[in-house]
Amino acid sequence: MYILGIETSCDDTSAAVLFNNRVLSNVIADQEVHRLYGGVVPELASRAHQQNIVPVVDTALKQAKVTKNQLSLVTYTRGPGLLGSLLVGSSFAKTLSLGLGIPLVDVDHMDAHIFAHFLEDEHQQRHPSFPFICLTVSGGHTQIVRVNNDRSLSIIGRTIDDAAGEAFDKAAKIMGLPYPGGPVIDKLAQEGDPFAFSFAEPRIPGFNYSFSGLKTSILYFIRDQLKTNPAFIENNKADLCASIQHTIVDILMKKLVLVVRESGIKQVALAGGVSANSALRKALSEVGTREGWEVFVPRLGYTTDNAAMIAVAGHMKYHSGYRATLDLSPYTRQHAD
Ligand code: KG4
Ligand code: ZN
């Protein structure tokens, strides 16, 4: 069956067409407008989604060489995300499914990041089998999830404050780097020494994360250095990026190891925007070899927000017999929050 996916939870308008789990197109229009403000401005995001949604869906259909009448299923992100942005995608998806007389399936954005592992294209065919552990790291959420099967996911650990992506973005902002900071830090860190500077790691018991202390520690450290050397950031940019990245990855991996050891599960996956990070991917592979895990990282095009992951997650829900009704409203926070 041909499936349309629609993702508008934050600042990327995306539409994808799948043939079962195979990606035929995955169009992403990112919104330049937010760069001026160093972060996403919700009102501007929903307006840009309104402008983008029709051309983006149209382009996705054209690239896939599929007409709207060939579609059998419409899937969309119901939440979590920005309310105005979610409303644009959900209204569009509902209208289209109603107009075409085909079923509709709503998808949870964080679950979709995980199910991106089940997408198939010429580069990606291998996927984890149930149950597996997934470290889902995005701009808004950080979770360690036990994926029991395609309908049952248990969150074992989560951040109690900032998400890992937020830690990257806020650290970048402190250094005066552009938004979103994660990919910029990743790039600059390639030339830096990860052990040049050290930052305090949180001591949170159990499987939960905390990243707000790290942000404060980076802020105070840089502020103190600037007092004696106004060019401190400029002169140490690569080392700062490498050290910050190393600390975030270290925090993420330590808890993941604890959870995986306790679970006895040996299949471990990464998902979400931060899973694009080269140091995190490398750490997973090294730790995985040491611990005897079989590791899975999504292909780079499917790490940050995209509609292909929405379509595959929706397709899996559809197969389990689920159908959405038109009265569903978006949710801004994660279910269990
Ligand atoms: O999953 P995502 O696209 O959006 C949300 O659902 O939030 O994640 C976006 C986050 C941002 O914080 C961004 O800085 C981060 O993913 N990110 C990265 C990299 N690429 C994206 N962080 C570190 N290294 C990267 N290469
Ligand atoms: Zn996301």
Side-chain angles (χ1 to χ4, degrees), residues 111 114-115 118 128-132 145-154 265 316-317 320:
D111 293 357
I114 297 175
F115 291 119
F118 295 86
S129 44
F130 302 116
F132 65 95
V145 182
R146 187 184 196 280
V147 188
N148 306 310
N149 57 54
D150 58 358
R151 291 168 308 279
S152 156
L153 297 89
S154 330
I265 294 171
M316 290 166 90
K317 253 177 116 169
S320 70

Side-chain angles (χ1 to χ4, degrees), residues 109 113 138-140 165-166 168-169 180-183 186 272-274 276-277 303-305:
H109 180 88
H113 271 300
S138 75
E166 238 170 315
F168 271 106
D169 296 340
D186 192 352
V274 182
N277 184 265
T303 53
T304 45
D305 291 349

Side-chain angles (χ1 to χ4, degrees), residues 9-12 109-110 113 137-141 164-166 168-169 179-187 245 272-278 303-306 309:
S9 67
C10 190
D11 60 339
D12 293 307
H109 180 88
M110 296 308 290
H113 271 300
V137 270
S138 75
H141 301 271
E166 238 170 315
F168 271 106
D169 296 340
Y179 176 86
V184 184
I185 291 188
D186 192 352
K187 191 150 177 265
Q245 176 171 276
V274 182
S275 71
N277 184 265
S278 55
T303 53
T304 45
D305 291 349
N306 68 88
M309 70 182 194

Side-chain angles (χ1 to χ4, degrees), residues 216-272:
T216 314
S217 147
I218 295 168
L219 180 69
Y220 288 174
F221 173 74
I222 292 184
R223 198 184 58 186
D224 290 346
Q225 298 298 317
L226 286 174
K227 281 182 193 151
T228 50
N229 175 11
F232 176 75
I233 297 177
E234 210 40 57
N235 295 344
N236 296 281
K237 212 171 248 175
D239 285 349
L240 275 169
C241 288
S243 303
I244 290 166
Q245 176 171 276
H246 172 80
T247 311
I248 296 173
V249 169
D250 201 49
I251 295 171
L252 288 171
M253 289 308 299
K254 277 183 181 150
K255 289 282 164 106
L256 182 63
V257 168
L258 288 182
V259 170
V260 176
R261 281 187 187 158
E262 168 135 333
S263 74
I265 294 171
K266 290 287 183 185
Q267 299 221 8
V268 184
L270 278 185

Side-chain angles (χ1 to χ4, degrees), residues 7 13 20 27 68 74 81 112 119 139 142 162 167 175 181 199 238 248 251 254 269-270 280 283 290 317 319 334:
E7 153 64 33
T13 318
N20 297 327
V27 177
K68 62 181 188 309
V74 178
L119 285 167
T142 299
D162 291 355
M175 289 187 282
F199 302 100
I248 296 173
I251 295 171
K254 277 183 181 150
L270 278 185
L280 181 59
R290 188 191 75 204
K317 253 177 116 169
H319 268 290
Q334 214 195 323

